[in-house]
Amino acid sequence: MGEQLNVGVIGLGVMGQRMLARLAAHQRLQAVAVWDADPAAIAKTLQTWPDLRAADSAADLIATAGLHSLYIATPPAPHMTLSELAFDAGLAVFCEKPLTVDFVAASACIARIERDNLRAAVNFALASAPGLAQLQAAFGSNSSMPLGALSEVQLELAFAAWPRPWQAAAGTWLSERIEGGFTREVLSHFIFALQRVLGPAVVKHSLASYPTDGRSAETDLQALLQIGAVTVQISGRVGGKLADQNLMLWRAAAGEIELGEWFSRFEQRGGSKPQGLSGDLRQAAHSDQLDQWVALIEGQPHSLPGYAEALAVQQTIEALLTP
Ligand SMILES: NC(=O)c1ccc[n+]([C@@H]2O[C@H](COP(=O)([O-])OP(=O)(O)OC[C@H]3O[C@@H](n4cnc5c(N)ncnc54)[C@H](O)[C@@H]3O)[C@@H](O)[C@H]2O)c1
């Protein structure tokens, strides 16, 4: 086993807490220092993880001796500034999605990453999902197209409530249209998967519906995208009985693939049955994701999306939300 790799965590809300638990179970990565703009979040974190060093500021955390990587789990607005600070200190950065809603800052950051060959990736967990590998094999650019030509992708999202109950403790940003909403928060994962397999999408039509308060995030999204000859239909809504549904159907000339529940459910109709799709597929994706983070830190090849790929996802997402 290689040396321990020390991680600093900024943003100690719902996702920061989840990642601290995942890091504690990982063999190589270990959280050593934390910081949050809210002192109460730091205090709560130290109750669960008393051995962590509580930094005084983002700069103080990034200056922690022996740190290898920064994990950013704040809402999107500070992602670019925090990334830049970490690059100044020579750290590898693993940032939560959505990358940003500030495309100018993101483009400058990406130019720096490319110029200086910096280590940076974004946490789309589907990047490590076995289901995504199957989609690549069936429809990716190097595929022999065992199911024939892909004609259509359908995606359905439904949430009984937004935010979902497990994210109810998140800040108000998640329920507001400036940074939050299910399109950025959830649809972005599936646009990532779609664009990784097929390339950039063009928004042909999109209609987002909002509450009348002028502030709250979308409650409905109906959209049509095009990628080459493939049409992509998207339907998302808040309300109804389904607690947290996501269902993706990839329809081709000689068969189809259906993925449910964050790619943990995989069904193929037509073609020969793919191997290696047993056990808890979602859990497998999460643990492989951390191994990919180790590879990022060590400068090895990895499957995590870089900032440019994540910005391309966000460009599609913001186009969907632009009237
Ligand atoms: N990859 C995934 O599956 C996944 C799942 C959930 C959330 N997320 C993403 O993780 C990020 C955080 O989401 P969350 O649900 O944990 O939100 P949250 O509101 O629960 O937590 C955010 C935390 O960041 C802190 N914060 C805000 N601004 C800060 C700043 N400038 N500096 C330091 N701390 C700051 C807040 O005080 C809060 O404690 C978002 O980008 C979200 O989209 C990703």
Side-chain angles (χ1 to χ4, degrees), residues 108-184:
C109 189
I110 289 164
R112 179 180 180 191
I113 290 167
E114 287 169 0
R115 189 186 61 234
D116 297 342
N117 200 18
L118 302 174
R119 297 160 299 158
V122 176
N123 188 23
F124 284 111
L126 291 183
S128 299
L132 183 67
Q134 296 300 333
L135 289 174
Q136 291 274 29
F139 307 119
S141 54
N142 293 324
S143 167
S144 58
M145 304 301 250
L147 296 179
L150 181 69
S151 57
E152 187 187 7
V153 179
Q154 292 175 1
L155 174 65
E156 240 186 82
L157 302 175
F159 313 95
W162 187 265
R164 296 156 292 178
W166 69 268
Q167 262 188 312
T172 50
W173 68 272
L174 185 59
S175 56
E176 293 180 352
R177 67 184 69 165
I178 296 177
E179 287 183 276
F182 71 80
T183 302
R184 293 193 186 94

Side-chain angles (χ1 to χ4, degrees), residues 13-15 35-37 73-75 78 96-98 123 167 170-171 173 185:
V14 175
M15 194 58 212
W35 185 69
D36 192 291
T74 66
E96 266 310 333
K97 41 58 58 180
N123 188 23
Q167 262 188 312
W173 68 272
E185 187 64 13

Side-chain angles (χ1 to χ4, degrees), residues 18 22 125-126 128-130 164 166 244 246 261-265 279-288:
R18 286 191 162 197
R22 283 179 202 159
L126 291 183
S128 299
R164 296 156 292 178
W166 69 268
D244 187 355
N246 55 74
E261 293 160 50
W262 297 97
F263 287 18
S264 68
R265 198 169 55 66
D280 184 338
L281 296 182
R282 197 166 178 197
Q283 189 53 41
H286 282 310
S287 49
D288 186 53

